[in-house]
Amino acid sequence: MADQDREARTAPALELRDGCAVLSGDLLIGTVAALPREPVDARSVDVSGVGRLDTAGAWFVLDLARRTGAESGAISGAGEAQALLLEIVRNSMPDAPPAPAALSSPVDRLADVGRWTHGGCRVAVEMTGFLGQVVAALAGLVVRPGRLRLTSLVHHMQEVGWNAIPIVALMAFLIGVVLAFQGSSQLRQFGAEVFVVELIAIAVLRELGILLTAIIVAGRSGSAFTAAIGSMKMREEIAAMRTLGLDPIQLLVVPRVLALIVMLPILGFIADVSGLVGGAIMSWIELGVSPVVFQSRLVANVDLWQFAVGIIKAPFFALIIGVIGCYEGLKVGGDAESLGRLTSTSVVVAIFMVIVADALFSVFFALVGI
């Protein structure tokens, strides 16, 4: 009987008095489940009648205050220990979930388009100015060739050129194999299998050889330029260069861009040869076109301009890749997240601009009849 009376005295209760939610009894983990969870129309919470209080009870008090719309300061009647426990639990509670975003109106969408357009135009202007600085620095080497850092140039030529030969040659060889196989499958329907030689030669020499080489170099060397220069920017080495009166464009950008301009035509030539070899081997296997016949038709029916068109594009692709890679590297902030984001951006933008430039070259050569 005494135990039942004590349980009745310590059972928690919630009452509403004059706009105040009054709690009484012991608010413990085993008792708060009996309290109602419905919203209460109150302006404050009174815990002066609460006896024992644990973290579960403290959470219930704070949740009740939030459900009633009362501020945290509207919880009254707490003792010193209870107030301390309430503060600890309050600091440990998760933030309220954010309100769902309102549906954007057509005006908001138009404003977003405007912001994106403005940002794109600003980046285009900055990149054009950076391109002008690089071209001016390259032109200055004609007047003062002694300013060229030959050791750095040779190092970058090895990195972007010599070390890239295996992957470029393998890629071009497989492209030639695929072109020969797919071309033979289609041309066989019309009895024109022998024209697969011209198909492979024109596609590889004019477009695919140099375009895919530039894409590989953009992903391989363009990202390396951004990562290397961005790491120097994070370590404030570039700021130290400027403090010493040294030009980062002359020291860091020019050797990389010049190495690309020199090596990309060579890589394009290697890609052309590998693509033709792959196409010749597959033509021999699939169609019985011997290497001698392949060579004779290649020399007789493919104009030298088909090769020249691809090589002419190479320096321009190299300038695009080098400028974008170095520009994004110089934009890196002081954190690793910025470095990773801008490295990815440099690859995507470089590949996009290379494809755009290739399309413009195609239109130009079509207009001049080449």
Side-chain angles (χ1 to χ4, degrees):
M1 188 69 177
D3 292 341
Q4 293 179 354
D5 292 340
R6 186 178 61 197
E7 183 178 357
R9 289 194 302 270
T10 59
L14 173 61
E15 299 178 7
L16 184 62
R17 300 175 186 173
D18 299 330
C20 178
V22 180
L23 288 168
S24 60
D26 293 338
L27 298 182
L28 304 175
I29 189 171
T31 61
V32 292
L35 294 173
R37 296 298 308 275
E38 292 79 10
V40 178
D41 186 12
R43 295 183 300 275
S44 62
V45 178
D46 184 6
V47 295
S48 58
V50 173
R52 291 177 294 173
L53 181 70
D54 63 2
T55 54
W59 179 89
F60 179 84
V61 172
L62 294 171
D63 183 65
L64 177 64
R66 184 178 62 185
R67 286 187 286 118
T68 59
E71 299 294 335
S72 60
I75 300 176
S76 60
E80 183 178 352
Q82 292 176 342
L84 179 60
L85 180 59
L86 287 171
E87 184 64 24
I88 293 174
V89 174
R90 180 186 295 112
N91 294 333
S92 303
M93 291 180 68
D95 297 331
L103 295 177
S104 57
S105 64
V107 176
D108 296 332
R109 296 192 186 97
L110 184 61
D112 292 338
V113 172
R115 282 190 291 269
W116 295 335
T117 304
H118 176 267
C121 292
R122 180 178 55 81
V123 172
V125 170
E126 292 178 357
M127 196 172 295
T128 303
F130 185 75
L131 173 62
Q133 292 179 330
V134 174
V135 172
L138 290 172
L141 295 178
V142 178
V143 181
R144 300 178 61 183
R147 300 177 63 180
L148 176 64
R149 301 175 69 238
L150 189 59
T151 302
S152 178
L153 175 63
V154 174
H155 168 73
H156 291 299
M157 287 174 64
Q158 177 182 356
E159 290 294 325
V160 305
W162 179 261
N163 294 344
I165 289 177
I167 182 62
V168 169
L170 178 61
M171 176 274 305
F173 178 84
L174 296 176
I175 289 297
V177 169
V178 172
L179 281 175
F181 182 78
Q182 295 294 334
S184 63
S185 300
Q186 300 301 319
L187 294 175
R188 186 181 290 113
Q189 303 176 26
F190 308 99
E193 297 95 331
V194 71
F195 291 105
V196 73
V197 178
E198 288 79 358
L199 171 66
I200 296 170
I202 294 175
V204 170
L205 296 177
R206 190 181 184 98
E207 290 293 338
L208 294 181
I210 189 60
L211 178 60
L212 295 179
T213 301
I215 291 174
I216 288 177
V217 171
R220 183 181 179 276
S221 300
S223 60
F225 290 173
T226 303
I229 296 177
S231 298
M232 298 179 67
K233 184 77 178 298
M234 290 175 58
R235 295 192 297 264
E236 299 185 353
E237 295 179 26
I238 294 179
M241 287 183 183
R242 292 194 174 100
T243 302
L244 296 174
L246 303 176
D247 184 11
I249 303 294
Q250 190 71 43
L251 295 179
L252 302 177
V253 179
V254 168
R256 289 174 167 82
V257 174
L258 193 57
L260 272 178
I261 293 175
V262 172
M263 295 306 299
L264 192 59
I266 299 175
L267 291 175
F269 174 76
I270 294 173
D272 291 343
V273 174
S274 299
L276 293 177
V277 171
I281 293 175
M282 181 53 67
S283 299
W284 192 10
I285 296 173
E286 185 70 15
L287 300 175
V289 179
S290 66
V292 175
V293 175
F294 190 96
Q295 180 184 2
S296 62
R297 291 192 63 86
L298 177 66
V299 174
N301 299 327
V302 179
D303 189 3
L304 185 62
W305 269 108
Q306 306 297 336
F307 170 74
V309 165
I311 296 301
I312 288 172
K313 301 175 186 177
F316 297 94
F317 291 170
L319 184 63
I320 290 172
I321 296 169
V323 167
I324 292 176
C326 296
Y327 168 78
E328 297 294 344
L330 291 173
K331 285 175 58 179
V332 171
D335 56 339
E337 187 274 336
S338 174
L339 178 62
R341 176 173 52 83
L342 290 175
T343 300
S344 301
T345 300
S346 70
V347 175
V348 174
V349 174
I351 292 176
F352 173 77
M353 292 305 299
V354 163
I355 295 175
V356 170
D358 183 71
L360 295 177
F361 271 113
S362 298
V363 174
F364 170 77
F365 287 125
L367 292 177
V368 299
I370 298 178

